[in-house]
Amino acid sequence: MTPAENESAIEKSTRTARFAEWLMRREEARQDKESNLESLVRLNVLVSFLTLGLVGGFETVRLAVSMIPYI
């Protein structure tokens, strides 16, 4: 292998390594975003049930919880 070919191979591997690191950072950011969305959905469900309980009473909440398996 000539020095030019060796340098080209090293450059390609570093470009590949940088690309792989970028992909990993992007995947971690996506997972963080998904976990944030999941927590917001859970909070929304909790607040919805609390509102339903305040407006409709405890019996309405029990009815709504019993209907969850049908959704």
Side-chain angles (χ1 to χ4, degrees):
M1 229 176 168
T2 66
E5 290 173 344
N6 190 18
E7 189 175 309
S8 177
I10 291 172
E11 182 181 326
K12 285 182 181 178
S13 69
T14 58
R15 287 180 63 197
T16 303
R18 285 190 310 220
F19 181 68
E21 290 171 5
W22 175 79
L23 280 176
M24 293 298 290
R25 285 193 309 270
R26 189 178 78 167
E27 180 66 21
E28 288 172 1
R30 187 183 65 79
Q31 288 176 353
D32 290 343
K33 187 176 181 180
E34 282 182 3
S35 66
N36 288 341
L37 286 175
E38 289 173 4
S39 63
L40 286 174
V41 167
R42 288 183 183 142
L43 178 63
N44 187 17
V45 169
L46 175 65
V47 170
S48 297
F49 275 109
L50 289 174
T51 304
L52 184 62
L54 290 173
V55 172
F58 182 70
E59 290 298 320
T60 308
V61 173
R62 283 183 45 196
L63 176 64
V65 169
S66 68
M67 293 176 66
I68 288 176
Y70 299 113
I71 296 176

